[in-house]
Amino acid sequence: MEQKIKSIIAKLDSSDITFADVRITITDYEYIYFSNGNLRGMGSSLGSHAIGIRILKDGCFGFAGSGDLSDSSIDKLIKRAKDNATHGAAFQKKKLSFPALGATQGEYAFTPEIDPFTMDREEKLDFLSRLADSIKPQGKIVYSGVSANFEKQEKYYANTEGSYYHSVVYNSDPAMSVAASDGNEMQSRTWPGHMGTGRAGFELFYKHEFEKNTERIIKEATDLLSAPRVKDKKADIIIGGGHLGLQLHESIGHATEADRIFGQEISYAGKTFVRPEMLGKFQYGSPILNVYSDSTDPAGMGYHMLDDEGVPGKRIDIIKDGILVNQQTSRHIAHLLGLEPSSNMKASFADDIPLVRMTNLCIAPGKGSLEELIASTERGYFLDFTKTWSIDDNRNNFQFTTEIGYEIKDGRIVGIVKEPTYFGITQDFWNACDGICGEEEWAYQSTFNCGKGEPGQVMRLSHGVAPARFRAVDMLPG
Amino acid sequence: MYQQLINLKDALGTHPSLKYVISQSHWETDFLRFYQSQTNYNISKEKHSLHCQLYKDKRSFGFEVDNPDEKKVMHALEDALKIIDKMPADPDFVDVEDDARLAEPRPFTNNIQRIGLKEKTEILQSLAKSVAPHRFELFGTFICNNSRSRFMNSNGLDKDSQGSPIYFEVKAVNKENQVTVLETFGGENFDFFDIEAMRESLLFKIENAKKPVVDVDAGKYELILAPRCVAEFVQYLSYGMNAAALDRHSSYFEGLKDTQVFPEIISITDDPKDPQMVQASYGDGGSLYEELKLIDKGYFRAFTCGKYYHHKTGEPKNGNTAECLKIAPGEHSLEEMIASIKHGLYISSLHYMNFINMRDTSLTGLTRDGTFLIEDGKITKVVNNLRFTEHISEILKNATALENKVYTIPFSSNYNMFDINTSKAPHAKIKEFFISSSTKTI
């Protein structure tokens, strides 16, 4: 495949092409899901090939992608990508700027502890079947589900600047859920929550201790039916890692994708309230808030040695001591903003065009344990396990509901509340952060499903976070 | 094109104990994305795949092969045959679909070929020129898909379908303050596209968008929902009209069949044959897709239901998938509806909706692409985007008037393949709609 991709690059080395890159992905995917204890679906797509050719010509990018890697198909793709660039250039006010970059070579292979594609399938099914059986409907539980998605992706990248990269990674997405009903309303609990995926193999089921948590989610879903709702209009809240990852993702991650500043995502994912002149000045959060983008950490799903336009992986500060200092960029956008490219251009598969994407976007740890943070909270709620999320076009106004809230009084958890809902304005919220737990509580929270772009792409990425406290947050009383 | 499908069918014929559903499809898209009245990127993309779902007694296994050739397909089949006997059974599985009826042939045009990049670019250049003097720029997408697939199963079904939907979305954005207005075209027949009508409507909306920008407080408002909003709320509501939701006890409509759930003015059908919409020939499991009344004059009449959930829930099987929703028009003109509001809002489009509780239809979301203040029966100001926290069931219960005209609204399911579908809806006047906060931005 290395030879193939390099031979395609050789075909693109012509004077009318400013820059071109080619990606090839080979993806294995397997899904398994149980509903109410019964296996409802298991299937796979193995060795799925994709190729994408991106050509910068006449100051405009053209792209063509396919699953067909035959020589005749590749010649057609090159022609389509060129035609697409030429037609695009006819509706352009200014040629796209794309400063040259030196060549980089790289090889990376992740090895899971338990390879989900080669492990004994009976063992895999037996484990999942027992798990599904242990949470199947009984008492007030009326629905239960167990699911697993496994992915192995091999990627080849090459460009006309001489860069070449080959990688193999594994991602796993394990989940279980129960729903309880008393005939009128329904409440649900999941494990390990909304961001329980990771750069791992089947071992992720053991790391998340699924078997230990079946009774917990059954009890909590059942108890939520009779639990009170939050009555406060404002409250101090501590957000657990599973949900804080999403809060970070929506209100800092997407807001600092710089393609949004120029309106490149207006037609679907939206804009951002961030403006170029805010860099170095804007008080995004309280001084204890430090946020960085780190594609150099192989523990997160956002790791790469080279991004999908040839920029080597980097760790960069996005928010330093509460001040916005940088953005997630492409080579083109970085040039427009006078920044160095941040290595954030990624595509889901080779036949997708790369976009500015989060990689491993993290909040640096603070100090102390979760127990200490709760103990220092006089009155409030500990919220975790995302239920509903929503944020506006500018990433300024968000509203989240979690599956469960744990009420805190005098530094202790005293009960639970159902569907706690809080909302706020991004800057106000992050400036209300007065406590971030330390390294002992810090972990990656990851997702399989960050949607962006048209045609739509879903990206695998991670957020390193530790639980954090926010003062006087607006709550939606029930 | 279907040789691998036929080979697979022949191979499966040697295993009489197996039931199966197999399909082979080719999908392609030509995708123009633009911003600041210029090209962002042009994409051409295609996918050729074969899918197989095998059943042995009550055990099932599925596989997909991209860009299939005989070696890959037979290898995948061999692998499936090794695993299927070792899998846990699903006691609720009965059989694959047996509705062998074929859809009537309908006219077909490949819109990727019909609307070339040159024509798309000329349309955009023309519209961009019209909005530029108002200091607005164009952002959006102009997409044509083309797909063809053939479907077979062990009950003898052999069906072929094709489609070529168009999705054209234009947002005109004010260069200074980002106030945005939206126009769309969707369907499968580009003869219905009228550039002059789109231009006229854009320019009319731009005049409203030049009005001063204000914020409004949280609270309950009387408002006009644009057809896109009505259609989107009904799409979300339709999750609960599916028998799978009923089976999971997450349906709002559980126990409400043939009960009046909404005012008499609300009627909703799933109609796959409207020529102004993206049409569909076959639904769940390959059954014939036919018109189905979901809400009739306020009464809930049917769940969309395939063979599997028919067996589980006892609901009648229809194979509908609620991809072609139509909300019936009312009796009022839009002008009358706006004129009847003393103090309220006009909402053009919705953004980032998510259920809080699917069973009670509570959800939150935001307004986008043009929210306006109505004072004394007239649109007087632009309003910052707003957050609402509502129940869809209550929104429809609070519908007091519907426009006497419906519009085709395109939607895209923006994951995996870029599927495009359409709904039809009128403007709706709603009372007591809860705005829970302001975004303080446009």
Side-chain angles (χ1 to χ4, degrees), chain B residues 22-41:
Chain B
I22 56 176
S23 61
Q24 191 171 348
S25 63
H26 181 260
W27 171 91
E28 57 183 330
T29 188
D30 222 353
F31 202 111
L32 167 56
R33 203 173 197 207
F34 49 97
Y35 77 117
Q36 297 177 359
S37 293
Q38 62 179 343
T39 304
N40 185 354
Y41 50 71

Side-chain angles (χ1 to χ4, degrees), chain B residues 102-261:
Chain B
L102 296 177
E104 282 174 31
R106 54 188 170 88
F108 174 77
T109 303
N110 179 338
N111 284 312
I112 291 181
Q113 290 168 1
R114 160 78 178 77
I115 317 161
L117 263 179
K118 188 167 179 287
E119 185 175 358
K120 284 181 181 171
T121 302
E122 283 167 0
I123 289 167
L124 289 170
Q125 282 169 327
S126 168
L127 291 172
K129 199 172 163 189
S130 299
V131 304
H134 302 273
R135 301 200 53 75
F136 277 67
E137 291 184 315
L138 298 187
F139 297 70
T141 47
F142 199 154
I143 308 142
C144 298
N145 289 353
N146 185 55
S147 66
R148 185 163 187 187
S149 66
R150 187 170 169 187
F151 165 98
M152 297 172 171
N153 76 13
S154 49
N155 281 341
L157 270 64
D158 183 351
K159 302 183 180 188
D160 195 320
S161 67
Q162 54 189 353
S164 190
I166 305 159
Y167 180 102
F168 182 27
E169 178 182 277
V170 179
K171 293 186 181 188
V173 181
N174 185 302
K175 287 167 79 167
E176 273 80 42
N177 65 6
Q178 303 271 296
V179 173
T180 303
V181 296
L182 171 69
E183 273 295 313
T184 58
F185 171 81
E188 286 186 292
N189 188 344
F190 199 56
D191 292 342
F192 288 119
F193 178 69
D194 180 346
I195 188 172
E196 293 314 321
M198 180 176 267
R199 190 191 326 273
E200 192 184 333
S201 182
L202 261 182
L203 293 174
F204 176 78
K205 289 176 181 176
I206 282 173
E207 286 310 310
N208 279 330
K210 290 177 183 170
K211 293 184 161 99
V213 179
V214 296
D215 217 2
V216 298
D217 294 329
K220 292 199 169 181
Y221 286 83
E222 188 166 32
L223 51 79
I224 303 292
L225 289 177
R228 166 166 288 273
C229 309
V230 175
E232 199 166 356
F233 278 130
V234 169
Q235 283 190 353
Y236 272 62
L237 185 72
S238 72
Y239 298 152
M241 295 178 186
N242 188 303
L246 178 68
D247 180 54
R248 289 174 194 155
H249 301 277
S250 60
S251 167
Y252 171 77
F253 296 98
E254 184 172 353
L256 293 177
K257 201 123 160 256
D258 297 323
T259 302
Q260 183 166 7
V261 288

Side-chain angles (χ1 to χ4, degrees), chain A residues 52-117:
Chain A
I53 298 175
R54 190 173 68 141
I55 289 175
L56 179 60
K57 181 176 175 290
D58 303 329
C60 187
F61 268 116
F63 179 85
S66 173
D68 186 350
L69 269 65
S70 66
D71 290 346
S72 61
S73 163
I74 287 164
D75 288 343
K76 266 194 265 174
L77 290 177
I78 291 173
K79 185 178 180 315
R80 285 309 296 265
K82 276 188 184 176
D83 286 351
N84 284 345
T86 303
H87 281 291
F91 182 49
Q92 225 180 10
K93 290 184 280 191
K94 199 177 169 189
K95 286 186 189 304
L96 187 140
S97 50
F98 198 77
L101 203 65
T104 309
Q105 315 279 320
E107 281 275 349
Y108 175 73
F110 172 85
T111 307
E113 290 168 31
I114 305 172
D115 186 331
F117 294 99

